[in-house]
């Protein structure tokens, strides 16, 4: 039994809707995958600066945790934005602008090269995209707006750090801070957009707002596709047995789960979603058997996961596709950030933000809990895949947690 995080406060629940033999059916296909994913994959791979992010093999940590393998998909340097979100928000901005351009010009043939060329910038500059964010999604939307030539207004809630605010502003976006929590800022962004004729580019879906979040999640699927290709190209090519995914509104987890489910069918790994115990909307939805909201300040150090309401589209993938839902406490996340930076088991050190490590924290906490370990089928032959969704997106906070600056960690190139 692992003793790496022996004191983590872990809660877990089996998903009674889990259907391990179910095919990836029409209901899921209408949300993620198929031709829509191929379009996203082809476009994003043509963006200047695209490169697959590395898949790190944490052999020392795996041995210490008592499992066969731990793989960590490191998103810390995706397009220079610091997180996997670069794939989603910016792609959705490009899709929205192309739809508007084609409609306004009476065309159907405009594509990504037309946006990147700037030849229609006089039209795109008259459009404004907007969203609410904990930090990373807003940074991606702002980056996409700057890259593709439109205006951008981003809403952040009361507890988003000044460092993350400044990072969004660096791409030319106007940032509006609102009272309340993330879900309050989502509502404010939507209300202002309706009044001011802006285009909402949200990473969460709700009644009457479904199309753009599909584009966001299709972009995330590129990360899952890279990981699957990287795994199958290794010497043994053995698939993971378990994938631990951070929660939030569910978009990342749904995108990864959907891609593996669509392409592997019954051979897909077990998927486990991990959330902060202070913001566990997916866990509570699994307990209730349907989407429910959690309320309050949602004040967790895992700022990118401080969400109280489930994305309805993501839930359509997760409720039949995920085996279990876990929650972990903030102390476990902070310990895991330090664990990756200090690398006491001989692996290369890694820079990971507080939200990036939720999956790893959940896996290590489950390995330290005999009941969870048995229920989730974790043993010496387990191969665990993780998605390190962000780097030090707030360098000041990272230094406070680790005691060193991100650039002093000695992370491999």
């Amino acid at each position: 039994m692992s003793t790496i995080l022996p004191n983590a406060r872990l809660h877990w629940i089996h998903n009674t809707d889990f259907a391990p033999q179910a095919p990836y059916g029409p209901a899921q296909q209408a949300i993620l995958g198929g031709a829509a994913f191929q379009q996203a994959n082809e476009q994003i791979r043509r963006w200047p600066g695209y490169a697959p992010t590395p898949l790190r093999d944490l052999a020392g940590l795996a041995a210490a945790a008592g499992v066969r393998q731990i793989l960590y998909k490191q998103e810390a340097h995706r397009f220079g934005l610091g997180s996997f979100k670069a794939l989603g928000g910016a792609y959705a901005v490009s899709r929205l602008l192309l739809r508007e351009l084609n409609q306004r010009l009476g065309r159907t043939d405009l594509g990504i090269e037309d946006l990147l060329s700037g030849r229609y910038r006089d039209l795109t500059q008259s459009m404004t995209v907007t969203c609410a964010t904990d930090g990373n999604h807003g940074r991606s939307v702002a980056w996409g707006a700057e890259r593709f030539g439109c205006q951008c207004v981003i809403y952040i809630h009361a507890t988003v750090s000044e460092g993350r605010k400044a990072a969004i502003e660096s791409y030319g976006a106007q940032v509006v801070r609102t009272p309340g929590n993330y879900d309050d800022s989502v509502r404010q962004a939507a209300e202002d957009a309706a009044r001011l004729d802006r285009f909402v580019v949200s990473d969460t879906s709700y009644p009457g707002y479904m199309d753009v979040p599909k584009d966001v999640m299709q972009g995330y699927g590129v990360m899952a596709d890279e990981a699957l290709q990287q795994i199958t190209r290794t010497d043994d090519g053995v698939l993971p047995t378990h994938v631990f995914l951070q929660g939030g509104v569910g978009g990342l987890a749904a995108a990864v789960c959907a891609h593996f489910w669509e392409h592997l069918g019954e051979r897909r790994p077990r998927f486990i979603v991990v959330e902060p115990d202070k913001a566990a909307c997916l866990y509570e939805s699994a307990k209730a058997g349907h989407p429910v909201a959690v309320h309050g300040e949602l004040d967790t150090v895992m700022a990118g996961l401080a969400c109280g309401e489930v994305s309805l589209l993501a839930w359509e993938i997760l409720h039949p596709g995920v085996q279990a839902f876990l929650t972990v406490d903030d102390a476990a996340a902070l310990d895991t950030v330090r664990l990756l930076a200090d690398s006491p088991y001989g692996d290369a050190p890694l820079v990971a933000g507080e939200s990036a490590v939720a999956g790893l924290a959940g896996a290590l906490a489950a390995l330290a809990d005999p009941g969870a370990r048995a229920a989730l089928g974790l043993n010496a032959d387990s191969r665990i895949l993780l998605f390190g969704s962000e780097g030090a997106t707030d360098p000041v906070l990272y230094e406070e947690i680790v005691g060193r600056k991100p650039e002093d960690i000695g992370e491999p190139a």
Side-chain angles (χ1 to χ4, degrees), residues 281-347:
C281 59
L282 292 164
Y283 175 88
E284 294 298 335
S285 296
K287 284 176 64 176
H290 57 84
V292 298
V294 296
H295 302 286
E297 295 183 357
L298 311 178
D299 188 15
T300 170
V301 71
M302 292 170 267
L305 309 179
C307 309
E309 297 182 22
V310 177
S311 170
L312 299 182
L313 288 171
W315 183 251
E316 290 304 309
I317 302 292
L318 298 175
H319 83 84
V322 167
Q323 182 198 12
F325 294 84
L326 313 182
T327 70
V328 293
D329 60 310
D330 281 359
L334 295 174
D335 286 344
T336 306
V337 170
R338 289 186 281 264
L339 173 72
L340 289 176
D342 296 339
S343 188
Y345 303 109
D347 302 310

Side-chain angles (χ1 to χ4, degrees), residues 124-190:
T124 58
Q125 279 291 326
S126 70
M127 306 176 201
T128 300
V129 295
T130 189
C131 72
T133 187
D134 288 308
N136 290 337
H137 176 68
R139 192 183 306 197
S140 177
V141 171
W143 177 69
E146 181 184 62
R147 171 168 281 204
F148 302 127
C150 68
Q151 303 297 314
C152 183
V153 180
I154 302 296
Y155 291 73
I156 60 174
H157 56 279
T159 60
V160 174
S161 72
E162 284 297 314
R164 291 189 169 102
K165 176 178 181 286
I168 296 167
E169 290 174 328
S170 72
Y171 295 104
Q174 176 189 350
V175 179
V176 178
R177 189 180 290 275
T178 65
N181 62 27
Y182 169 76
D183 301 298
D184 296 320
S185 66
V186 169
R187 285 184 281 271
Q188 188 66 58

Side-chain angles (χ1 to χ4, degrees), residues 263-413:
H263 290 273
L264 299 176
E266 292 184 22
R267 296 189 300 129
R268 70 188 189 276
R270 301 182 188 209
F271 285 89
I272 298 98
V273 170
V274 185
E275 297 172 282
D277 56 7
K278 297 178 181 177
C281 59
L282 292 164
Y283 175 88
E284 294 298 335
S285 296
K287 284 176 64 176
H290 57 84
V292 298
V294 296
H295 302 286
E297 295 183 357
L298 311 178
D299 188 15
T300 170
V301 71
M302 292 170 267
L305 309 179
C307 309
E309 297 182 22
V310 177
S311 170
L312 299 182
L313 288 171
W315 183 251
E316 290 304 309
I317 302 292
L318 298 175
H319 83 84
V322 167
Q323 182 198 12
F325 294 84
L326 313 182
T327 70
V328 293
D329 60 310
D330 281 359
L334 295 174
D335 286 344
T336 306
V337 170
R338 289 186 281 264
L339 173 72
L340 289 176
D342 296 339
S343 188
Y345 303 109
D347 302 310
L350 297 175
V351 174
E354 320 87 74
S355 298
V357 301
L360 177 55
L364 294 174
L367 286 164
D369 182 300
R373 185 180 179 112
L376 299 177
L378 291 164
N379 56 46
D381 292 322
S382 295
R383 296 172 179 263
I384 297 172
L385 173 63
L386 308 158
F387 287 81
S389 52
E390 65 169 0
T393 52
D394 185 335
V396 173
L397 178 58
Y398 183 86
E399 186 177 0
E400 291 176 3
I401 295 168
V402 175
R404 288 176 286 162
K405 297 179 185 296
E407 58 268 27
D408 295 335
I409 298 302
E411 187 177 53

